[in-house]
Amino acid sequence: MVRGAGPALLALLLLSRTTQAFLEEMPASGSRPGLKRLLSNESSAGYCERKTKPATSLASWSLSTESLIGVLPVDPAPENYIRVVRNCIFSVVYPTPFKSRTLLVAVSKNVLEDILDLDLSVSKTNYFIQLVSGEKIVSGSIPLAHRYGGHQFGIWADQLGDGRAHIIGIYTNRYGEKWELQLKGSGKTPYSRNGDGRAVLRSSVREFLASEALHYLGIPTSRALSLVVSDDDVWRDPFYNGNIQKERGAVVLRIAKSWFRIGSLEILAHYGELDLLRKLLNFVIQEHFPAINVKDPNRYLDFFSDVVSGTAHLIASWMSVGFAHGVCNTDNFSLLSITIDYGPFGFMESYDPNFVPNTSDDERRYKIGNQANVGMFNLNKLLQVLNLLLDPNQKQLAAQILVGYPTLYYRRFKELFKAKLGLLGEKENDDYLIAFLLRLMEDTKADFTMTFRELSEITQAQLKEFNIPQEFWALETLSRQELFSDWVTLYLLRLKSNMNDSDSRRRKRMTSVNPRYVLKNWMAESAVRKAEMNDFSEVHLLQQVLQHPFQKQSLSERAGYSSPTPLWAKDLKVSCSS
Ligand code: AMP
Ligand code: MG
């Protein structure tokens, strides 16, 4: 047992230190009205048997934005110039095609075939490339930019909106699922403010790879269909130090069931457009929250309850893989609780609750350990919006729902981390065991991903004898902490209390939840550097590897993706510039 402190006391100490950043300043948890359902944003694609073959031509494949603009108002001004827009949800605006030649760099076969019902051969056609680069629009579909606002770094930023994104249509697939297709980097819109409407190759490679990677890790996210690069010049100051560089414009076609965000509602509340706020909320509930009756007078409460639990679950799942979003502004927080708007995100390498992926985040507001707190901040902004539509009694209940957020978050966090340790059932000291391990990792700066992975691969017999094989480099680092043996003793004791378990079953369970590969910054950077020299091989390799993050793969091992971060990449930085 650990010297000098009883386990319960030490558990508290460890929790307060290692998880302080996750939980600090959260209000005490309280009761919460029953949840009607837990959000599930997973596509049914993949679960159902395919009855029809994917289409080999785009001839009869159709897109439309009618289901949005048939209900929600559109800006009456047809011109595309930067301006303040009021009393609408969308502006009609066409993508601006690139002037130079374009190249299709990558396609997600899974998105193409399983969600969009298209055969891979379609991606070889000219028409496909024209569609996904913004040169052509599917006939009959009216492209849109969405008007939204938001709180950026805690401060109201007023009108933001799709300044470089176009919804080019909604596709209804064979399961009846509706998916909104959106180009990012496709030119200016009324919401472009000072921007040029473009995205560069490096950030587009990162978004393409990361959104697909999160999906395969089982985390709700937008998906990416394609990545196109052009030869158009785009000028950026990547580190905001006056070094302006010429880069190449790129476009990602990304899809989500909905792109509405907390900021979509905030802008309407801010300008007192309450009828429109009600309309948009009713629309979102009707389309995306089928368990809620849109005629129910408590529908906004139920909606809030779902968003609160969805957000708590999403952030807990980010934490379980060490993902820091980087810019958790309210305009980047989805109403469907999926991960959206990938920018300066990062996967934490050596364990550090203060990990900040975005070098532009001077105040460290969006450090990994603060994500649960900013989730609370964002939900509080959503609550302020909903309060405009609630009666006094409902307002009280809504406040109670928010008070329940820390409990929901922590419960999910614990569930996920228990699974990461292979723990079955519930034991009093489980919190302690998790917090103790995180503390050891924090002290030793052991690699987060590989520590859990190696714990999944090592046998109990090896652990018992402290016989850590040489290739288990993260555990080797962890074992340098003097309390490591105490933790192992507790862990092995706890594993004994797993009912109907065996060591091989434990390892199988743990390897299915602890990835061997995540998109570490150096891996993305290596792929980007090559892509900038027109070598897309590592983009393709990572795309392939990250589709099976829980499976050991020889190509990936050879590329060093489960090895310590190479020296050249020790000081890599990512800024907001994109
Ligand atoms: P982000 O930080 O990428 O989520 O973007 C915040 C806001 O800035 C959104 O309204 C974006 O549409 C807008 N924005 C970001 N980059 C550009 C750009 N290059 N051109 C126009 N708008 C942009
Ligand atoms: Mg954004």
Side-chain angles (χ1 to χ4, degrees):
M1 189 45 64
V2 184
R3 290 166 290 265
L9 176 65
L10 195 59
L12 278 176
L13 290 173
L14 288 167
L15 271 174
S16 65
R17 189 177 140 189
T18 59
T19 61
Q20 63 168 8
F22 307 159
L23 298 170
E24 75 200 5
E25 289 165 25
M26 281 189 174
S29 55
S31 64
R32 125 191 103 89
L35 290 176
K36 285 207 173 153
R37 70 188 182 106
L38 288 179
L39 264 185
S40 166
N41 294 303
E42 280 199 10
S43 158
S44 56
Y47 304 140
C48 306
E49 217 176 288
R50 174 182 283 283
K51 295 201 178 70
T52 47
K53 283 206 158 130
T56 50
S57 148
L58 284 164
S60 57
W61 189 81
S62 68
L63 288 182
S64 168
T65 48
E66 184 52 33
S67 62
L68 293 173
I69 56 179
V71 182
L72 300 168
V74 171
D75 177 8
E79 301 87 5
N80 183 12
Y81 64 96
I82 293 158
R83 62 183 180 272
V84 171
V85 178
R86 296 276 182 268
N87 299 306
C88 70
I89 305 293
F90 296 108
S91 297
V92 172
V93 48
Y94 282 75
T96 308
F98 289 114
K99 294 189 196 81
S100 62
R101 67 187 176 135
T102 52
L103 178 72
L104 180 64
V105 170
V107 170
S108 162
K109 183 171 183 285
N110 180 259
V111 170
L112 194 71
E113 295 195 343
D114 288 349
I115 300 181
L116 300 179
D117 302 330
L118 291 170
D119 189 83
L120 190 60
S121 59
V122 168
S123 67
K124 311 277 188 296
T125 64
N126 223 357
Y127 182 37
F128 179 84
I129 298 172
Q130 288 171 326
L131 276 184
V132 299
S133 62
E135 199 179 322
K136 280 219 169 111
I137 290 292
V138 170
S139 140
S141 189
I142 298 172
L144 305 169
H146 171 43
R147 169 189 176 224
Y148 58 82
H151 281 81
Q152 296 189 318
F153 293 86
I155 294 162
W156 174 244
D158 212 345
Q159 177 178 299
L160 297 166
D162 291 332
R164 52 172 168 172
H166 297 79
I167 296 178
I168 57 163
I170 296 171
Y171 179 70
T172 307
N173 73 10
R174 63 196 183 285
Y175 306 113
E177 297 169 343
K178 288 186 197 157
W179 287 87
E180 296 182 4
L181 279 70
Q182 189 188 69
L183 297 171
K184 180 172 174 182
S186 40
K188 283 191 189 174
T189 77
Y191 309 99
S192 297
R193 298 178 300 154
N194 302 322
D196 58 5
R198 292 300 183 197
V200 292
L201 181 59
R202 61 185 153 79
S203 63
S204 305
V205 166
R206 284 167 52 87
E207 170 144 11
F208 179 85
L209 290 175
S211 58
E212 286 298 281
L214 252 67
H215 167 74
Y216 289 106
L217 287 168
I219 297 178
T221 175
S222 60
R223 303 285 308 270
L225 169 67
S226 58
L227 167 63
V228 165
V229 65
S230 74
D231 281 338
D232 281 25
D233 296 344
V234 175
W235 296 89
R236 290 286 183 272
D237 183 356
F239 294 105
Y240 301 111
N241 59 5
N243 275 338
I244 296 173
Q245 290 176 15
K246 188 167 84 175
E247 302 192 47
R248 274 188 291 169
V251 165
V252 171
L253 193 146
R254 45 189 209 169
I255 69 168
K257 296 225 176 117
S258 168
W259 289 101
F260 288 126
R261 309 122 196 278
I262 293 179
S264 306
L265 303 173
E266 281 182 291
I267 191 92
L268 305 176
H270 186 82
Y271 286 102
E273 298 168 25
L274 297 192
D275 286 343
L276 198 44
L277 175 62
R278 235 174 253 118
K279 194 170 206 160
L280 180 56
L281 270 166
N282 292 346
F283 178 84
V284 170
I285 290 170
Q286 181 128 29
E287 286 287 314
H288 302 290
F289 294 77
I292 301 176
N293 180 351
V294 79
K295 299 222 164 69
D296 186 334
N298 286 325
R299 64 191 177 282
Y300 300 143
L301 274 183
D302 289 339
F303 165 75
F304 186 54
S305 179
D306 277 1
V307 182
V308 168
S309 73
T311 303
H313 283 206
L314 178 68
I315 298 176
S317 68
W318 287 352
M319 299 305 292
S320 75
V321 295
F323 177 80
H325 179 284
V327 195
C328 300
N329 294 333
T330 55
D331 52 302
N332 290 338
F333 258 47
S334 148
L335 293 179
L336 302 195
S337 309
I338 62 172
T339 315
I340 56 168
D341 283 19
Y342 290 77
F345 65 84
F347 281 89
M348 175 170 64
E349 296 184 17
S350 58
Y351 178 80
D352 176 9
N354 293 315
F355 168 62
V356 185
N358 173 10
T359 51
S360 320
D361 183 2
D362 296 330
E363 290 173 9
R364 310 176 84 79
R365 178 180 172 86
Y366 297 135
K367 65 184 179 185
I368 193 163
N370 204 33
Q371 294 189 120
N373 287 328
V374 295
M376 181 82 167
F377 175 93
N378 292 348
L379 290 166
N380 193 37
K381 293 296 165 200
L382 176 59
L383 174 65
Q384 287 170 20
V385 169
L386 296 176
N387 272 339
L388 298 172
L389 308 179
L390 300 178
D391 67 29
N393 184 36
Q394 289 174 325
K395 278 186 199 171
Q396 270 191 6
L397 289 169
Q400 281 296 305
I401 291 171
L402 188 57
V403 167
Y405 166 80
T407 308
L408 288 175
Y409 169 74
Y410 195 65
R411 192 182 297 155
R412 187 65 176 159
F413 179 93
K414 188 172 161 188
E415 255 169 40
L416 294 170
F417 276 79
K418 271 176 59 189
K420 284 174 82 67
L421 285 176
L423 310 183
L424 298 176
E426 187 77 42
K427 291 282 167 206
E428 209 186 320
N429 281 347
D430 287 347
D431 277 349
Y432 175 74
L433 195 66
I434 296 165
F436 194 166
L437 176 63
L438 294 179
R439 170 69 177 274
L440 295 183
M441 289 169 71
E442 190 178 0
D443 282 357
T444 54
K445 301 267 171 270
D447 186 89
F448 177 77
T449 305
M450 288 310 287
T451 296
F452 279 105
R453 181 67 187 196
E454 290 170 6
L455 282 174
S456 319
E457 293 179 356
I458 201 164
T459 64
Q460 284 191 53
Q462 285 170 316
L463 260 185
K464 199 170 176 179
E465 285 153 25
F466 298 100
N467 171 19
I468 298 170
Q470 208 187 350
E471 68 270 22
F472 285 35
W473 56 275
L475 276 187
E476 206 276 315
T477 307
L478 195 75
S479 70
R480 289 185 210 145
Q481 223 282 5
E482 55 168 351
L483 296 179
F484 176 71
S485 55
D486 290 346
W487 183 81
V488 169
T489 309
L490 284 180
Y491 182 49
L492 292 174
L493 201 66
R494 174 61 179 86
L495 287 180
K496 271 197 190 146
S497 68
N498 278 350
M499 301 281 274
N500 300 323
D501 204 13
S502 67
D503 201 40
S504 67
R505 262 181 269 168
R506 169 193 71 88
R507 286 188 290 144
K508 198 165 167 210
R509 254 193 340 270
M510 285 175 66
T511 46
S512 73
V513 294
N514 289 309
R516 193 165 168 90
Y517 314 114
V518 295
L519 183 64
K520 290 180 175 173
N521 210 16
W522 73 266
M523 291 152 60
E525 179 68 18
S526 172
V528 163
R529 286 185 188 178
K530 288 181 187 143
E532 282 173 344
M533 310 293 284
N534 284 321
D535 170 2
F536 302 107
S537 57
E538 196 157 8
V539 172
H540 298 146
L541 175 64
L542 281 168
Q543 192 190 357
Q544 195 186 324
V545 165
L546 296 171
Q547 275 181 33
H548 307 285
F550 304 105
Q551 269 172 37
K552 191 169 181 176
Q553 301 162 53
S554 51
L555 275 179
S556 181
E557 294 300 307
R558 241 175 284 145
Y561 294 158
S562 65
S563 303
T565 299
L567 281 178
W568 66 263
K570 282 282 184 232
D571 296 317
L572 279 183
K573 291 188 170 68
V574 188
S575 78
C576 265
S577 156
S578 60

